[in-house]
Amino acid sequence: MVRLRPLAHTPPPSPAVVPSFPRLFEEEAGYVWTTLRRLGVRLSDLEDLTHDVFVQVFRQLEQYDPARPIKPWLFGFAFRIASKYRRRHGHRFEVAELGEAVDGRPNPAEELLANERRELAWSALAELELNRRAVFILHELDGCPIPEVAEHLGMPLATAYSRLRLAREDFAQAARRLRSRQR
Amino acid sequence: MTMEDREFDADTQQLLADLKLYTAPGAGALDRVRERVAVSLTATLVGASSIAVAPTVKVGSAAPAGSWLATSAAKMGLVSAFALGTSVGALGYAWLRPATERVVYRDRPSVPIAARSAEPAPRSASTAAAQQPAPSAPAPEAMPRVALPEPEPRHAVAPPSSAKATFADAQQGLAGELQLMDRARAALSVGNASGALTELQSHAARYPRGTLQQEREALRIKALVSAGRAAEARAAGRRFAERYPDSSLLASVNAALRSIP
């Protein structure tokens, strides 16, 4: 079954200690999966890359500051792994694939929402250059403030702002173009 | 919060709302990922020395029976490690339970893993556990060497009966190591640097050649920084860099050292 859930960027209920790894996996695997997908990882490679993210997360867990939200921290792993993936599989990257169902069966919930508009949204996102896209996703979709975006993605603040601006322009432009093509 | 929201017209904002929804993976997908992560982590923790010496082959070429046994061994190892080694033992058990018996391996040519397809059929899963390195490991060269017995050279006879006990010991040791490391990490995360150092000291005393030496040293350096023992932290940092020049933890160690005022 395919479930649809909003991905709100809510701070965790203030855990004082680093979360246990199994719990982290249960709570955040869906976020990591979605993030990789938004970053342009093909559906057929999502299991592999989600695995890779969590193996690295395990080894670096002690670096996580539990006072801060975990999603942007996880996003950093997903971004680095997705970047490497793109370098390896450039030709297989940047494809918007909404038609492909995860389990291969049509799903009523998926069909309801996988309308033209949603497809258009994903296609427009897929057109963004990866660095710009990462800033765009983390800020616009996950609600992470830009200074933290810059920190988690390891880029200067000014760069993050300029990438955000360019990403917005690119996104709006791509949406306009795709929309006019649809009509 | 974002002044920039107004830059988008209503249509574009609707698109963003669509993107905020997401299609979660099918239930089976995350189960498969969970199980593969468990296998990889067990390889990291339990099988590191085996991996370091075993010939590198692709997962896909491992004999089916062999990889299934290795998987079982990996599961046993991880279940006990998590159950004993974390503060949420129950969750540790529950973690692997929903997973199916089947592990789907794909060819992942860029990832070197250890599996020995030519292994003679062992008598039981437990003896196999001691013999078979767990499959799939992310970066063998970055892993700590463990004081586990190296896998037997290939031979036609069944493994010695002591193999079972040795593997159990290794598992127990690892669980204890994890427990101490967890306590140290928890102490440091609430600012109790001296508590963390005490835990790390007992770790060093009990497991001088343990699996998690590298993790221990990295954490100790951070605790020293946090305790304001700058000179010791720097000295330990230099030793760490000499000893583990390729460690994935080196960046965080250096970051901690740079934070010294």
Side-chain angles (χ1 to χ4, degrees):
Chain A
M1 280 309 260
V2 178
R3 295 153 311 210
L4 289 167
R5 277 185 278 151
L7 251 189
H9 180 72
T10 43
S14 62
V17 294
V18 177
S20 80
F21 183 77
R23 198 172 118 205
L24 185 65
F25 182 90
E26 297 312 322
E27 289 176 357
E28 304 297 347
Y31 173 74
V32 168
W33 178 283
T34 299
T35 298
L36 288 168
R37 191 171 169 191
R38 287 169 172 171
L39 289 170
V41 174
R42 285 175 59 103
L43 287 167
S44 54
D45 293 325
L46 277 171
E47 285 184 27
D48 284 357
L49 269 74
T50 304
H51 161 271
D52 294 352
V53 167
F54 276 99
V55 168
Q56 291 202 6
V57 163
F58 178 82
R59 289 197 75 87
Q60 318 261 328
L61 194 55
E62 72 186 45
Q63 288 174 47
Y64 168 60
D65 173 0
R68 306 181 63 191
I70 196 154
K71 284 185 168 64
W73 187 72
L74 294 172
F75 190 99
F77 288 88
F79 173 63
R80 288 186 290 276
I81 282 173
S83 305
K84 207 178 286 176
Y85 168 84
R86 186 187 56 169
R87 285 197 289 276
R88 275 203 319 249
H89 304 287
H91 59 292
R92 295 166 60 195
F93 197 70
E94 308 293 347
V95 189
E97 319 169 84
L98 264 194
E100 203 179 322
V102 172
D103 56 5
R105 283 170 301 173
N107 178 288
E110 176 86 34
E111 278 165 19
L112 274 177
L113 274 165
N115 51 23
E116 284 184 356
R117 194 189 63 206
R118 192 153 169 268
E119 212 159 306
L120 190 149
W122 278 85
S123 303
L125 185 68
E127 290 195 15
L128 302 187
E129 183 271 331
L130 188 65
N131 287 302
R132 294 180 190 176
R133 192 194 310 188
V135 175
F136 186 82
I137 294 168
L138 196 46
H139 180 72
E140 298 290 352
L141 305 182
D142 291 350
C144 183
I146 283 293
E148 286 172 37
V149 170
E151 185 195 332
H152 286 291
L153 300 185
M155 53 181 74
L157 187 59
T159 308
Y161 272 114
S162 102
R163 281 181 174 153
L164 176 65
R165 183 175 51 78
L166 293 167
R168 284 175 172 153
E169 290 169 11
D170 293 349
F171 184 79
Q173 199 178 6
R176 272 196 303 276
R177 187 167 36 74
L178 292 164
R179 211 177 270 130
S180 68
R181 201 186 294 168
Q182 267 185 3
R183 283 176 190 140
Chain B
M1 183 170 73
T2 50
M3 40 111 193
E4 308 87 355
D5 280 353
R6 264 142 261 144
E7 282 180 21
F8 294 123
D9 57 28
D11 282 350
T12 310
Q13 292 206 23
Q14 183 56 57
L15 295 181
L16 288 181
D18 282 339
L19 288 173
K20 282 179 189 168
L21 287 176
Y22 74 97
T23 312
L30 283 189
D31 285 346
R32 284 190 297 275
V33 174
R34 180 192 296 107
E35 191 152 353
R36 286 177 48 195
V37 170
V39 169
S40 295
L41 296 186
T42 311
T44 305
L45 297 172
V46 176
S49 75
S50 310
I51 283 160
V53 297
T56 298
V57 297
K58 291 187 175 57
V59 168
S61 63
S67 44
W68 185 86
L69 288 172
T71 303
S72 306
K75 272 200 216 168
M76 284 160 35
L78 198 77
V79 167
S80 75
F82 271 131
L84 296 168
T86 72
S87 46
V88 283
L91 258 173
Y93 276 117
W95 200 49
L96 283 171
R97 204 184 301 137
T100 54
E101 280 302 308
R102 191 172 56 90
V103 178
V104 179
Y105 288 110
R106 297 204 192 128
D107 275 315
R108 306 179 61 211
S110 62
V111 182
I113 57 90
R116 293 157 78 222
S117 49
E119 196 71 63
R123 278 179 188 156
S124 72
S126 314
T127 49
Q131 288 286 302
Q132 282 276 0
S136 175
E141 71 279 2
M143 284 174 192
R145 302 297 168 111
V146 217
L148 280 177
E150 295 189 352
E152 301 274 333
R154 289 173 190 183
H155 52 68
V157 299
S161 56
S162 65
K164 187 174 178 177
T166 313
F167 182 68
D169 290 348
Q171 274 189 49
Q172 286 233 313
L174 179 64
E177 276 199 60
L178 274 169
Q179 198 170 25
L180 283 170
M181 288 296 293
D182 266 9
R183 289 214 294 258
R185 195 178 280 166
L188 188 60
S189 77
V190 296
N192 179 6
S194 64
L197 287 167
T198 308
E199 300 289 355
L200 292 170
Q201 211 165 8
S202 25
H203 185 281
R206 280 176 60 185
Y207 308 101
R209 296 165 55 84
T211 309
L212 303 176
Q213 289 174 65
Q214 203 182 120
E215 281 79 0
R216 176 182 74 218
E217 282 312 300
L219 196 57
R220 197 171 75 87
I221 292 162
K222 288 170 205 170
L224 287 170
V225 170
S226 169
R229 291 158 65 177
E232 287 170 78
R234 289 203 181 91
R238 278 192 297 275
R239 280 196 301 275
F240 187 90
E242 280 166 22
R243 198 163 162 203
Y244 311 110
D246 302 320
S247 170
S248 62
L249 298 169
L250 194 55
S252 74
V253 166
N254 287 335
L257 292 173
R258 276 196 303 276
S259 75
I260 297 175

